[in-house]
Amino acid sequence: MSLYGELANRLREHIEHGFYKRGDKLPSVRQLATEHGVSISTVQEAYRVLEMERLVEARPKSGYFVPRESTNDRLPETSRPPQRPLEVSQWEQVLNLLSNRPANTRIQLQHAAPVMIGNTIKPLLKSLSELHRSRPEWGLGYGDIRGHIDLREQLSRLAVSSGCQLHPDDLVVTSGCQEALSVCLRAVTEPGDIIAIESPCFYGAMQAIKAANLKALEIPTHPEHGISLEALELALDQWPIKAILVTPTANNPLGFVMPEDKKQALYKLAQQYDIAIIEDDIYGDLTYEFPRPRSIKAFDNDGRVLLCSSFSKTVAPGMRVGWIAAGRYRDRVTHIKYVSSSMCPTLSQLALAKFMRQGGYDRHIRKMRTLYADSRDHLLEAIQRHLPSSTRVTRPAGGFVLWVEFAPEIDTVALTEKAQNKGVAIASGALFSATGKYRSCCRLNYSDQTPVLREEGIKILAELIRTEYPGAYS
Amino acid sequence: MSLYGELANRLREHIEHGFYKRGDKLPSVRQLATEHGVSISTVQEAYRVLEMERLVEARPKSGYFVPRESTNDRLPETSRPPQRPLEVSQWEQVLNLLSNRPANTRIQLQHAAPVMIGNTIKPLLKSLSELHRSRPEWGLGYGDIRGHIDLREQLSRLAVSSGCQLHPDDLVVTSGCQEALSVCLRAVTEPGDIIAIESPCFYGAMQAIKAANLKALEIPTHPEHGISLEALELALDQWPIKAILVTPTANNPLGFVMPEDKKQALYKLAQQYDIAIIEDDIYGDLTYEFPRPRSIKAFDNDGRVLLCSSFSKTVAPGMRVGWIAAGRYRDRVTHIKYVSSSMCPTLSQLALAKFMRQGGYDRHIRKMRTLYADSRDHLLEAIQRHLPSSTRVTRPAGGFVLWVEFAPEIDTVALTEKAQNKGVAIASGALFSATGKYRSCCRLNYSDQTPVLREEGIKILAELIRTEYPGAYS
């Protein structure tokens, strides 16, 4: 047996026999190397094996830990959406969610808004303020419809971290990721076409599918590995699917990061059936693992991947700055972007370009990554402590939303309304499927509340469930 | 004969016999009333008659004048586009125009960008700067997808000046008028539908028609009175037209203001055939006549008019703030706006709301209106002085673009390229028709050059024409 295999066995025994308890910090790599007389890389390899078995977890800047709970047995199962293309509905419910103003809400677990306070965002706000003071005229005229060259240069540099070689001319700046997705959908389809999506799926993407007169075919999706390639291949055989839209890196709402070999296999499948992939990477820079995993776009050698992203989750949605790397569809994407909203505001682009150039963006996301990883653990603990033991929950590898699956009798559409009356906002799972499925699920945001408020929100949900569904706690 | 009729006759004689010469200021209303012993309103009525005959013109704040030239005989004729629905082409040429950076251009007559310097725009820039300094956090989060309530309130107040009674909830804020048009087209049509438009027509609207998979049916349009209702009615009888898209007030590119009774008749026609009207009012506040004429939306009593506008021509395109009053289509418009680009940046909306509330917007457009009216006269003089006598030209009643029709042998597509090499940018007429018609026409902007540069630009065009088409000056 290899050295790292032996070490892994020994650590596994210690964990399983309770020598290291849930939540415990494990010895550092250096410490173990000294104790066992092995190399640093042997210890790292041993930890990698245990991480894959989910017996240990790495936390940025903190080291290795025994996970606070073994979530394997409480994970939702792979989703089972209906296997036929459907028209998207649920607009009324989405509008309700969007219209829900913060004033009515004391504990906001509903909107996927990032943390927007703190020192690391200040340099950006300062640049914006300075530009508006000293160069207001730069913000007035028409600019390049593809986006300001300074920003596109920085974006092409950033793309390297996800394994992409992009030229500034490969990029088109958009009004956030919502416009990016909408433009890409229109660029690769004609009305009536079928788009394959993950299930559950971000409601904004589904509403864009609806508005472009397309049909959504939801594919079974594993809560930790992403879209089922087997199910996707079956669907590709059966239906004339025009494109696949996925959020493979820090998925919304499930939180998974699709393994890189699976990303590559998805790309190969798209090649084999000659269809486009629209890759929503909006949470990609917020994976807790560092360096961040590669995007599907990194494997794209024939230009069929349209990568969409924005600063809405990493920095602030109010910036309204996103982008598309559209590969072979670039010209069509440029056309649709122009007719959709012409150019984007210049000063926001310039301020973001400076933020990136001076390292402020990297500093900011490093801090956010750690913050969100900690907040995830807090929320998972609160869920374990207060919600019924039948509750299943995902364990995100990035971003700041997770997915809760209650017992089938619990209706989150009704629960959402009742919770709102008590000042707690959640997003019902019904928004995340074309069919209104997932009525017993919900998405919870864990970005910008304090741990105390977050736990209080979960307690209020728990009380409501106890009242409405007394059987859930029996 | 009525008193005002007699007075009008006397003034007409004076003008026709050269007692008052071209460009002369006419006596003030008060002066004439005293001289002729009639009431103020009698003089006003007499002037109104002569204005309708185009023998005198009113200039804001300056009084009545004999027009610098009698343009009646040099007006282009009513356009004669092909009377069948067509797919829009010309994207390559539009992209060329959009990609034409100011750095390459000494004399910019091509882009329809407003004047963005001067004292009256400063309060807006100051607010923007102050907001970014003191309230940066307001710019970060998600806002109301319909737009900020402060701005919608001001917009509903502004609408009164064009004869509309709108509630803030009737309005949806957009990323400029381009998004407004694009959203409205998608809201009232399905792919394959036919849209009736003026001919020539703004290229951005036509490209939005193309991107929405619609067909354009160009309707003959008079250079002073707008779309031909007779031709439109024939087309409505013949084709299943889904909506009419028009720019009736300070039209781009022709510059006309459609008379109010004709606006009302157009509305009745839409009612009779039960179709929607998309009204592009982007230049509406820049008519030289004050108070500004009513919009078609003012006559809308069953919600079939979707009014689109923005601050791009009145204030600055870089603001990227527009709006839609969509009548009965409001909910569908809100949906498509949401999927298209989610919400609009908050601080720009707040700064514009303050600018309007404090009277800054009114002051600014009053100044711009006078400035553009004067610039129109300068440009018309330069055209008359230098371009071939066969040249026909419109005489805009608002905005800051006019339409030039050369002799048929002059090809403005070639001319545009040659002029660009000499540092003069113009927009070929070929961009303004789905068919690439109007190759012997061009649109000229008269907003932001000095009179000297403007005349120099026209001289350079004249020289080119003299070289390339020697017959034009014979």
Side-chain angles (χ1 to χ4, degrees):
Chain A
M1 178 174 273
S2 65
L3 276 176
Y4 74 81
E6 275 180 41
L7 179 58
N9 280 348
R10 203 169 304 183
L11 289 167
R12 191 184 296 111
E13 272 176 34
H14 280 11
I15 294 168
E16 284 171 351
H17 292 140
F19 178 73
Y20 297 122
K21 298 198 173 50
R22 289 185 180 174
D24 275 4
K25 189 174 190 317
L26 291 161
S28 73
V29 171
R30 192 169 299 274
Q31 211 176 326
L32 280 182
T34 314
E35 276 175 23
H36 295 269
V38 294
S39 71
I40 296 279
S41 65
T42 298
V43 180
Q44 283 172 329
E45 198 58 15
Y47 269 147
R48 208 184 57 81
V49 169
L50 297 173
E51 255 193 288
M52 279 168 58
E53 296 172 9
R54 302 177 53 84
L55 283 171
V56 314
E57 65 174 355
R59 292 194 200 149
K61 287 189 180 170
S62 309
Y64 290 90
F65 289 77
V66 183
R68 282 218 174 72
E69 59 163 326
S70 160
T71 47
N72 269 339
D73 50 333
R74 301 192 63 194
L75 265 185
E77 311 224 338
T78 297
S79 63
R80 283 182 302 180
Q83 286 306 285
R84 58 181 192 281
L86 290 167
E87 293 197 7
V88 175
S89 51
Q90 281 86 46
W91 166 236
E92 289 303 319
Q93 293 93 311
V94 172
L95 184 62
N96 259 343
L97 177 142
L98 297 169
S99 309
N100 191 5
R101 306 265 39 86
N104 311 327
T105 307
R106 202 164 59 84
I107 306 176
Q108 204 291 99
L109 306 168
Q110 182 175 58
H111 294 288
V115 170
M116 292 172 283
I117 48 169
N119 282 329
T120 50
I121 206 174
K122 280 188 183 159
L124 172 68
L125 301 183
K126 206 176 151 204
S127 296
L128 259 177
S129 167
E130 275 173 9
L131 280 166
H132 274 96
R133 187 175 48 73
S134 62
R135 293 293 180 190
E137 71 279 9
W138 289 0
L140 296 178
Y142 283 107
D144 192 329
I145 54 160
R146 296 172 307 167
H148 199 287
I149 181 64
D150 287 8
L151 180 61
R152 286 189 285 119
E153 272 173 12
Q154 292 302 317
L155 291 172
S156 68
R157 291 188 54 202
L158 176 66
V160 174
S161 68
S162 54
C164 299
Q165 301 296 329
L166 298 175
H167 187 275
D169 286 351
D170 296 331
L171 293 159
V172 176
V173 174
T174 59
S175 298
C177 198
Q178 185 64 43
E179 181 171 69
L181 292 174
S182 229
V183 165
C184 288
L185 280 169
R186 293 174 71 190
V188 302
T189 62
E190 302 190 16
D193 280 348
I194 301 168
I195 299 288
I197 57 174
E198 294 145 339
S199 183
C201 174
F202 167 51
Y203 51 79
M206 282 197 299
Q207 294 301 322
I209 287 172
K210 175 185 171 76
N213 298 300
L214 307 170
K215 289 201 172 79
L217 178 50
E218 294 177 58
I219 305 292
T221 299
H222 186 273
E224 299 231 290
H225 312 127
I227 197 165
S228 160
L229 296 187
E230 298 70 25
L232 178 60
E233 191 162 1
L234 278 174
L236 285 164
D237 278 337
Q238 200 180 350
W239 303 99
I241 292 169
K242 204 60 165 291
I244 313 169
L245 187 157
V246 284
T247 309
T249 311
N251 175 269
N252 172 12
L254 295 172
F256 63 78
V257 171
M258 186 189 255
E260 284 197 3
D261 54 351
K262 202 172 162 190
K263 283 179 179 164
Q264 193 163 14
L266 176 59
Y267 174 71
K268 293 274 175 222
L269 203 56
Q271 236 176 357
Q272 191 184 323
Y273 286 83
D274 195 19
I275 59 174
I277 297 177
I278 301 174
E279 180 178 20
D280 180 352
D281 193 50
I282 191 169
Y283 292 92
D285 284 351
L286 292 175
T287 49
Y288 309 146
E289 179 189 350
F290 182 81
R292 63 154 286 176
R294 283 188 283 182
S295 57
I296 301 175
K297 182 76 183 167
F299 304 103
D300 185 17
N301 53 38
D302 60 4
R304 69 178 63 244
V305 180
L306 301 95
L307 181 112
C308 298
S309 193
S310 88
F311 294 104
S312 298
K313 306 305 178 186
T314 49
V315 181
M319 302 294 297
R320 305 314 303 138
V321 178
W323 64 92
I324 304 170
R328 63 168 82 155
Y329 302 97
R330 186 195 59 177
D331 292 351
R332 197 159 154 64
V333 156
T334 308
H335 182 242
I336 299 176
K337 159 60 185 159
Y338 161 64
V339 301
S340 298
S341 66
S342 187
M343 40 88 58
C344 291
T346 301
L347 296 187
S348 306
Q349 295 183 63
L350 287 176
L352 283 163
K354 189 175 173 196
F355 190 50
M356 297 174 86
R357 195 166 52 242
Q358 301 191 334
Y361 176 78
D362 282 343
R363 268 190 293 280
H364 182 65
I365 57 165
R366 268 206 304 277
K367 184 174 148 192
M368 291 300 125
R369 218 185 276 134
T370 316
L371 182 70
Y372 296 143
D374 286 347
S375 304
R376 173 200 61 184
D377 291 343
H378 290 141
L379 181 56
L380 285 173
E381 269 178 60
I383 288 171
Q384 192 182 20
R385 197 170 302 138
H386 303 291
L387 294 183
S389 58
S390 57
T391 309
R392 292 163 178 266
V393 60
T394 61
R395 194 164 181 287
F400 43 76
V401 293
L402 54 70
W403 183 253
V404 177
E405 186 180 314
F406 294 109
E409 68 271 20
I410 296 182
D411 176 9
T412 59
V413 176
L415 194 64
T416 300
E417 208 181 307
K418 293 201 163 69
Q420 185 64 53
N421 292 337
K422 295 192 176 293
V424 180
I426 63 170
S428 165
L431 301 173
F432 297 83
S433 166
T435 58
K437 238 178 102 86
Y438 308 125
R439 279 181 82 101
S440 61
C441 302
C442 71
R443 186 191 72 181
L444 300 179
N445 160 34
Y446 52 84
S447 63
D448 61 347
Q449 327 77 9
T450 61
V452 172
L453 266 189
R454 202 175 284 141
E455 179 156 10
E456 196 186 325
I458 298 300
K459 273 193 209 161
I460 292 173
L461 285 184
E463 279 160 32
L464 280 171
I465 291 170
R466 204 180 290 275
T467 313
E468 302 289 324
Y469 307 95
Y473 280 91
S474 61
Chain B
M1 179 175 275
S2 63
L3 275 175
Y4 73 81
E6 276 180 41
L7 179 57
N9 280 349
R10 202 169 304 183
L11 289 166
R12 191 184 297 108
E13 272 175 35
H14 281 10
I15 293 166
E16 284 172 350
H17 292 141
F19 177 73
Y20 297 121
K21 298 198 174 47
R22 288 183 183 177
D24 275 3
K25 187 173 188 324
L26 291 161
S28 74
V29 171
R30 190 168 301 273
Q31 209 175 331
L32 280 181
T34 315
E35 277 177 22
H36 294 270
V38 294
S39 71
I40 296 277
S41 65
T42 300
V43 180
Q44 283 172 328
E45 198 59 14
Y47 269 146
R48 208 185 58 81
V49 170
L50 297 172
E51 253 194 290
M52 279 169 57
E53 296 172 10
R54 301 178 54 84
L55 282 172
V56 313
E57 65 175 354
R59 293 193 199 151
K61 287 189 182 171
S62 308
Y64 291 89
F65 289 77
V66 184
R68 282 217 174 72
E69 59 163 327
S70 160
T71 48
N72 270 338
D73 51 333
R74 299 190 65 197
L75 264 186
E77 312 225 337
T78 296
S79 63
R80 282 183 302 180
Q83 286 305 285
R84 59 182 191 282
L86 290 167
E87 293 197 5
V88 175
S89 51
Q90 282 86 46
W91 167 235
E92 289 303 318
Q93 293 93 311
V94 172
L95 184 62
N96 259 343
L97 177 142
L98 296 169
S99 309
N100 192 5
R101 304 265 41 86
N104 312 324
T105 307
R106 203 164 58 86
I107 305 174
Q108 204 291 97
L109 306 167
Q110 182 175 58
H111 295 288
V115 169
M116 290 171 282
I117 47 170
N119 283 330
T120 51
I121 206 174
K122 280 187 184 161
L124 173 68
L125 302 183
K126 206 175 151 205
S127 296
L128 258 178
S129 168
E130 275 173 8
L131 281 167
H132 274 95
R133 186 175 48 73
S134 62
R135 293 293 180 191
E137 70 279 9
W138 290 0
L140 297 179
Y142 283 108
D144 193 328
I145 56 161
R146 296 172 307 168
H148 199 287
I149 182 65
D150 287 9
L151 180 60
R152 286 189 286 120
E153 272 173 12
Q154 292 303 318
L155 290 172
S156 67
R157 291 187 54 203
L158 176 67
V160 174
S161 69
S162 55
C164 299
Q165 300 296 328
L166 299 176
H167 188 272
D169 286 351
D170 296 331
L171 294 158
V172 175
V173 174
T174 59
S175 297
C177 198
Q178 184 65 43
E179 182 171 69
L181 293 174
S182 229
V183 165
C184 288
L185 280 169
R186 292 174 71 191
V188 301
T189 63
E190 302 190 14
D193 280 348
I194 302 168
I195 300 288
I197 56 175
E198 293 146 337
S199 184
C201 174
F202 166 51
Y203 50 79
M206 282 197 299
Q207 294 301 323
I209 287 172
K210 175 187 173 75
N213 299 298
L214 306 170
K215 290 201 173 78
L217 178 52
E218 294 177 58
I219 306 293
T221 300
H222 186 272
E224 298 231 292
H225 311 128
I227 196 164
S228 158
L229 297 187
E230 298 71 23
L232 178 61
E233 190 161 3
L234 278 175
L236 285 164
D237 278 337
Q238 202 179 348
W239 304 98
I241 291 169
K242 204 61 166 288
I244 314 168
L245 188 157
V246 285
T247 310
T249 311
N251 176 270
N252 171 13
L254 294 172
F256 62 79
V257 171
M258 185 190 256
E260 285 196 5
D261 54 351
K262 203 172 161 191
K263 283 179 180 166
Q264 193 162 14
L266 176 58
Y267 174 72
K268 292 273 176 224
L269 203 55
Q271 236 177 357
Q272 191 184 323
Y273 286 83
D274 195 19
I275 60 174
I277 298 177
I278 301 174
E279 179 178 21
D280 179 353
D281 193 51
I282 191 168
Y283 293 91
D285 284 353
L286 292 175
T287 48
Y288 310 145
E289 178 189 348
F290 182 80
R292 63 153 287 178
R294 281 188 284 183
S295 57
I296 300 175
K297 182 75 184 167
F299 303 105
D300 185 17
N301 53 35
D302 60 4
R304 67 177 65 246
V305 180
L306 301 95
L307 181 112
C308 298
S309 193
S310 87
F311 294 104
S312 297
K313 305 305 178 188
T314 48
V315 180
M319 302 295 297
R320 304 314 304 137
V321 178
W323 63 92
I324 304 170
R328 63 167 83 155
Y329 302 98
R330 187 195 59 177
D331 292 350
R332 197 159 154 65
V333 156
T334 307
H335 181 241
I336 299 176
K337 159 59 184 158
Y338 161 64
V339 303
S340 297
S341 66
S342 186
M343 40 91 51
C344 291
T346 302
L347 297 187
S348 307
Q349 295 183 63
L350 287 177
L352 282 162
K354 190 175 172 194
F355 191 49
M356 296 174 85
R357 195 169 49 244
Q358 301 190 332
Y361 176 78
D362 282 343
R363 267 190 294 279
H364 182 65
I365 58 166
R366 269 206 302 277
K367 185 172 147 193
M368 291 301 125
R369 216 184 279 134
T370 316
L371 182 70
Y372 296 143
D374 285 348
S375 304
R376 173 200 62 185
D377 291 343
H378 290 142
L379 181 56
L380 285 173
E381 269 179 57
I383 288 171
Q384 192 179 23
R385 198 170 302 136
H386 302 291
L387 294 183
S389 58
S390 58
T391 309
R392 291 163 179 266
V393 60
T394 61
R395 192 163 182 289
F400 43 75
V401 293
L402 56 71
W403 183 252
V404 177
E405 186 179 315
F406 294 109
E409 68 271 19
I410 296 182
D411 176 10
T412 59
V413 176
L415 194 64
T416 299
E417 208 180 309
K418 293 200 163 70
Q420 186 64 52
N421 292 336
K422 295 192 177 291
V424 180
I426 63 170
S428 165
L431 301 173
F432 296 83
S433 165
T435 58
K437 237 177 103 87
Y438 308 126
R439 279 182 81 101
S440 62
C441 302
C442 70
R443 186 193 72 181
L444 300 179
N445 160 32
Y446 53 84
S447 61
D448 61 347
Q449 327 77 9
T450 61
V452 172
L453 266 189
R454 202 174 283 142
E455 179 155 12
E456 196 186 326
I458 298 300
K459 272 194 207 161
I460 292 172
L461 284 184
E463 279 161 30
L464 280 172
I465 292 170
R466 203 179 291 276
T467 314
E468 302 288 325
Y469 308 96
Y473 281 91
S474 63

